[in-house]
Amino acid sequence: MAQKDKNKRLTPKQELFCQHYVDIGIASEAYRLAYNCANQKPATIWSNASRLLDDSKVSARVEELMAERAEQFKVDRKRVEEVLMGIIDVDPSDMYYVDEATGKTKLKAPNQMPKRMRKAIKKIKNKRGEVTYEFNGKTEAARLLASMNGWEAPKEVNVNGGVSLDGKRIMDFGLPKDEE
């Protein structure tokens, strides 16, 4: 049993290779970072990196690390979607209040705005007491959200005819009649 566990373990350099490979996605560069390659030709480095990736223990560890990263990104994706929805749902009336003493409409300070409004702020400028806010665009946020969720992806691609989205033809790119 001890021999079986020993065979499953990676060397420290193999583990380092796996970590770098998951970080950068380039096997030869991950190999250079994990191993001493001062006297090796690029072809040798590439070959060694390829062989290392073919090793079942190494490839299993790479898959394990990638699964861990994917799980981490699920949380980040949820937060990104929340921020994008916050930008889309921003109500400009949350920026202003009516001064009871003068009856005039005044701009709120950032700490007076709801948190979702503050998250949508791209820039705050203060030019000699004149404060202006620049917000992230709602349209761009909606596009990013749609793209992240595959809402803009073509449903059908026909290389001889074009692209259809929800049954509607949106692009033709077939060969000209004389070349068919």
Side-chain angles (χ1 to χ4, degrees), residues 87 117-124 133-137:
I87 292 168
M117 175 66 90
R118 291 192 307 267
K119 285 182 176 182
I121 295 173
K122 185 176 186 177
K123 250 189 241 182
I124 300 174
Y133 297 105
E134 182 181 332
F135 289 87
N136 289 296

Side-chain angles (χ1 to χ4, degrees), residues 74-161:
K74 281 183 186 176
V75 174
D76 291 343
R77 180 186 176 102
K78 183 179 177 187
R79 289 185 67 206
V80 168
E81 287 177 345
E82 287 172 1
V83 169
L84 291 173
M85 281 306 300
I87 292 168
I88 293 167
D89 290 340
V90 160
D91 181 0
S93 66
D94 288 339
M95 294 176 55
Y96 303 96
Y97 69 97
V98 177
D99 186 336
E100 293 177 12
T102 62
K104 292 184 178 182
T105 303
K106 293 191 174 185
L107 191 61
K108 291 180 181 178
N111 64 346
Q112 296 171 316
M113 294 180 189
K115 189 174 186 178
R116 62 183 164 71
M117 175 66 90
R118 291 192 307 267
K119 285 182 176 182
I121 295 173
K122 185 176 186 177
K123 250 189 241 182
I124 300 174
K125 292 181 185 177
N126 186 346
K127 193 173 186 179
R128 296 186 183 151
E130 184 181 322
V131 178
T132 57
Y133 297 105
E134 182 181 332
F135 289 87
N136 289 296
K138 289 184 175 203
T139 304
E140 183 60 26
R143 281 191 187 123
L144 283 170
L145 191 60
S147 176
M148 284 175 63
N149 288 295
W151 299 336
E152 294 179 340
K155 302 296 184 211
E156 176 185 321
V157 178
N158 180 340
V159 294
N160 293 322

Side-chain angles (χ1 to χ4, degrees), residues 30-72:
Y31 188 86
R32 281 185 191 92
L33 292 169
Y35 293 87
N36 180 4
C37 300
N39 298 324
Q40 293 182 8
K41 295 179 182 178
T44 304
I45 294 169
W46 182 88
S47 179
N48 289 344
S50 295
R51 263 191 246 113
L52 198 53
L53 274 178
D54 285 340
D55 182 299
S56 60
K57 294 184 298 183
V58 172
S59 61
R61 179 64 177 142
V62 166
E63 286 178 24
E64 185 180 292
L65 289 169
M66 287 180 154
E68 289 172 9
R69 295 279 170 91
E71 191 61 35
Q72 289 172 342

Side-chain angles (χ1 to χ4, degrees), residues 2-3 8 11 21 28 48 64 109 132 140 147 166 176:
Q3 183 65 28
K8 285 186 179 182
T11 67
Y21 181 71
S28 54
N48 289 344
E64 185 180 292
T132 57
E140 183 60 26
S147 176
D166 295 329

